[in-house]
Amino acid sequence: MNEYITPYTVIEVICFITAVICLNKDKEPGWRALILLLFITCFVEIGTIPMINMFNKHSIAVNSNAWVYNILLLLQMGVFTLMFDNILGRFISTRLVTIISVIVFTLLYLYELFYINKEGIFEYNSITNSFISVLFIIHCLYYYYLILREDTYINLKFSAEFWWVTGTLLFYYGNIVCNVFYNVLKQPQYNKAVHYSYIINTLILILYGCWIYSFICRKWLSKFE
Amino acid sequence: MAIEVRIILITLIFLIAPAFLLIYVYIYNKRKKRHIEEKEHLKTTFQKELLKTQIEVQEQTLNNISREIHDNITQVLSFVKLNLGMIEEADAATKNKITESRELVAQTINDLRNLSKSMSFEHIAQLGLVKTLEIEMARISNSGLINANLVITGEPYALGEERELVLFRIFQEALNNTLKHSGAKHLKITLQYSELLFNLTLEDDGAGFSAPDNESTVGSGLKNMQSRAALIGASAEISSSPGTGCCITVTLNPFKQQAYIDDTPSDRSR
């Protein structure tokens, strides 16, 4: 039972519950879609724990949980695109950038799945993951640029968009480093489990911490923005 | 150094970059807020100064017209009246006409003097708001245009020359609107003097109008009243609906000093 209660799963469940309370009546589809994303993320994180145990016993590709995360990657791309479309759409027209991003993502996803991965869907699409990390970081940085350029003042302390973007930026920034060093850390001579989980757990806490505050701002504090 | 430590350090350094970026965004945003506030303050000060200048120019013009009426036109008319009185050789019908003309000239002189007084800043400053309004109400009632009624509650006290002048001009603007647009038969003016609050209320029983949806739709006359009121630190509320007349309430805290009040109006006494 204890293996199901990790910092990871606890903060995710808290974030999901906050999202349900704060966003269920939100007017924007992007924000509402976050409830679905968080529900599926919680479901995947908790549901794949037995798969990890199975993989640890028999380390063969079909026992890996990578295929679940490959499917989750599609949902992540969809929901984040909706969110950035909504957030950046307040300042500029994002249609062209969104279309190009989705096309590149789809092509890269399929190419990696069928031509790069030796195990196909049973191997994680890490290149696509890195690509969306870079893509989301660029979106986040562009959002900061736009709020600095904007003539009107936004009270960042109570801005739901700002906190959502900040969580996303910090997580994906760290995620890139993890992806870069993943191959080093997974070598048996290093205590990969310890170091990798420290970094990832910290990033997850930052991400969901910012998101929880963002949802609270969205529901109750946006009027002070 | 162990590779694990190196990796964690690199990760931390990597994460410092967005942290610095966030601090920069936060500081820049704070500066932007200060800049916007300063800009807004300058804009408000400029608009206040502009309005103050407009009012001063208007007052000066009215003062000049008032003097011209008093010192020139009424003098000429008095001379005409005297000349008419000096005509001796005339038949009865002509004498009647002359007497009628003298009365008409006398009435015109009287009306012009009253008009001159209502325009003159000095006159309002000298008599005070209550007395000026009483004279004005008597003049309106005598004209037969509308049945005007002045009610004073509380013990009247001086509000300061500038404030009283601005309140009198608001009254004139409201009266002008009532006479021009409302078709009202009755006008009630209330001056309420209480310890911490002064109220000037103008109520008519005219056609009324729909309440404006937003600030931009408020008519220029009404907006003018609100701007004038704001200049002396008062607030003007206008409530009306079709068929129920109109009510304008100007509320002022007599002890709250405004910069404008402390200024000595330029060239007022010329």
Side-chain angles (χ1 to χ4, degrees):
Chain A
M1 185 65 193
N2 277 347
E3 62 191 330
Y4 289 94
I5 303 168
T6 61
Y8 229 89
T9 53
V10 169
I11 190 95
E12 267 170 5
V13 171
I14 293 171
C15 193
F16 168 64
I17 293 166
T18 316
V20 171
I21 294 166
C22 300
L23 307 176
N24 64 339
K25 284 178 186 163
D26 203 281
K27 286 174 194 165
E28 293 298 332
W31 286 92
R32 281 200 314 274
L34 282 172
I35 301 174
L36 177 73
L37 175 72
L38 285 163
F39 172 73
I40 293 174
T41 308
C42 289
F43 187 75
V44 166
E45 294 292 351
I46 296 165
T48 52
I49 289 170
M51 294 170 84
I52 296 167
N53 295 336
M54 200 190 295
F55 184 77
N56 287 340
K57 280 179 191 165
H58 306 286
S59 301
I60 51 168
V62 286
N63 285 343
S64 154
N65 61 3
W67 65 272
V68 183
Y69 284 94
N70 278 342
I71 294 168
L72 190 65
L73 211 56
L74 294 171
L75 186 70
Q76 273 178 348
M77 179 64 188
V79 174
F80 277 69
T81 303
L82 261 178
M83 273 304 288
F84 280 116
D85 196 45
N86 170 246
I87 291 171
L88 300 179
R90 278 175 58 175
F91 306 97
I92 48 153
S93 169
T94 51
R95 185 170 287 181
L96 187 68
V97 177
T98 306
I99 292 169
I100 293 169
S101 303
V102 170
I103 290 170
V104 174
F105 168 81
T106 312
L107 292 174
L108 187 66
Y109 185 89
L110 294 174
Y111 183 76
E112 191 177 9
L113 202 66
F114 294 112
Y115 294 100
I116 298 175
N117 290 352
K118 285 175 191 157
E119 304 294 340
I121 193 140
F122 296 109
E123 193 177 330
Y124 188 55
N125 279 10
S126 56
I127 297 172
T128 314
N129 185 36
S130 296
F131 166 74
I132 62 167
S133 296
V134 173
L135 189 71
F136 295 157
I137 287 168
I138 291 168
H139 276 87
C140 292
L141 295 176
Y142 194 54
Y143 167 76
Y144 289 149
Y145 168 72
L146 289 173
I147 57 169
L148 292 182
R149 205 188 60 172
E150 184 73 356
D151 284 337
T152 51
Y153 169 73
I154 300 168
N155 190 350
L156 298 179
K157 268 188 222 166
F158 306 121
S159 168
E161 285 89 357
F162 174 78
W163 285 104
W164 188 87
V165 169
T166 300
T168 308
L169 174 77
L170 291 172
F171 176 77
Y172 282 103
Y173 225 85
N175 195 37
I176 286 181
V177 188
C178 285
N179 281 350
V180 170
F181 295 123
Y182 181 75
N183 289 330
V184 180
L185 287 168
K186 75 178 179 184
Q187 285 169 28
Q189 68 266 36
Y190 304 119
N191 194 353
K192 173 237 164 184
V194 175
H195 296 104
Y196 192 73
S197 67
Y198 278 158
I199 297 169
I200 281 290
N201 281 345
T202 311
L203 292 175
I204 292 270
L205 281 171
I206 292 171
L207 173 74
Y208 288 120
C210 288
W211 278 21
I212 289 167
Y213 183 65
S214 157
F215 300 157
I216 291 167
C217 287
R218 181 83 185 163
K219 175 81 175 174
W220 291 292
L221 303 175
S222 285
K223 56 186 169 217
F224 303 115
E225 202 180 315
Chain B
M1 197 186 291
I3 193 156
E4 299 97 315
V5 180
R6 257 190 238 173
I7 285 170
I8 289 176
L9 275 177
I10 291 167
T11 312
L12 279 174
I13 291 164
F14 213 68
L15 278 172
I16 283 170
F20 270 117
L21 179 73
L22 287 172
I23 292 165
Y24 174 76
V25 170
Y26 186 78
I27 292 169
Y28 189 94
N29 200 50
K30 280 254 167 197
R31 275 191 194 164
K32 193 165 79 176
K33 183 190 177 191
R34 241 191 348 250
H35 176 71
I36 290 169
E37 280 170 355
E38 274 169 20
K39 216 167 97 180
E40 202 56 44
H41 176 71
L42 282 174
K43 204 175 147 190
T44 315
T45 313
F46 173 74
Q47 277 173 345
K48 251 187 168 176
E49 282 297 316
L50 192 70
L51 185 65
K52 190 179 143 186
T53 312
Q54 277 174 346
I55 288 174
E56 279 178 359
V57 169
Q58 194 185 30
E59 283 305 320
Q60 192 55 49
T61 312
L62 286 174
N63 222 28
N64 288 343
I65 295 169
S66 165
R67 272 174 183 252
E68 193 61 25
I69 290 170
H70 186 268
D71 299 346
N72 188 3
I73 301 172
T74 52
Q75 297 304 320
V76 173
L77 284 171
S78 296
F79 190 67
V80 170
K81 194 182 155 197
L82 272 173
N83 274 352
L84 284 170
M86 284 165 76
I87 299 170
E88 285 172 356
E89 285 179 20
D91 54 37
T94 313
K95 272 195 171 176
N96 264 348
K97 283 275 172 200
I98 289 168
T99 312
E100 263 179 43
S101 299
R102 285 194 70 195
E103 279 167 10
L104 282 172
V105 171
Q107 196 188 325
T108 309
I109 292 168
N110 205 32
D111 285 351
L112 282 172
R113 277 193 182 138
N114 284 336
L115 184 67
S116 160
K117 283 173 187 172
S118 75
M119 283 178 170
S120 163
F121 168 76
E122 290 161 36
H123 185 74
I124 299 159
Q126 199 183 344
L127 292 179
L129 181 68
V130 176
K131 192 73 192 156
T132 317
L133 280 178
E134 278 171 352
I135 294 167
E136 201 65 10
M137 296 303 275
R139 193 170 73 87
I140 299 158
S141 290
N142 288 340
S143 74
L145 289 168
I146 198 165
N147 182 15
N149 181 24
L150 178 68
V151 178
I152 302 163
T153 61
E155 189 61 39
Y157 46 76
L159 295 162
E161 286 178 3
E162 290 284 354
R163 280 174 173 176
E164 291 196 343
L165 175 71
V166 170
L167 287 167
F168 184 68
R169 294 292 177 231
I170 291 173
F171 157 79
Q172 284 181 316
E173 181 92 50
L175 177 70
N176 191 36
N177 283 348
T178 305
L179 294 176
K180 252 167 86 180
H181 308 294
S182 76
K185 292 213 165 33
H186 297 93
L187 175 69
K188 186 184 171 191
I189 318 289
T190 312
L191 294 179
Q192 193 188 340
Y193 288 90
S194 66
E195 216 169 296
L196 294 170
L197 213 68
F198 167 79
N199 261 328
L200 164 66
T201 314
L202 300 105
E203 286 171 278
D204 70 42
D205 60 352
F209 52 89
S210 304
D213 297 335
N214 55 52
E215 250 181 55
S216 63
T217 56
V218 178
S220 65
L222 303 177
K223 218 171 194 173
N224 205 8
M225 278 187 250
Q226 285 174 329
S227 308
R228 279 175 187 270
L231 201 65
I232 55 165
S235 64
E237 268 184 45
I238 299 144
S239 60
S240 179
S241 59
T244 60
C246 174
C247 178
I248 297 165
T249 310
V250 182
T251 310
L252 172 75
N253 177 356
F255 300 105
K256 195 178 160 194
Q257 287 296 314
Q258 289 281 310
Y260 181 73
I261 312 302
D262 302 331
D263 290 353
T264 310
S266 56
D267 300 332
R268 282 267 194 266
S269 53
R270 262 191 296 173

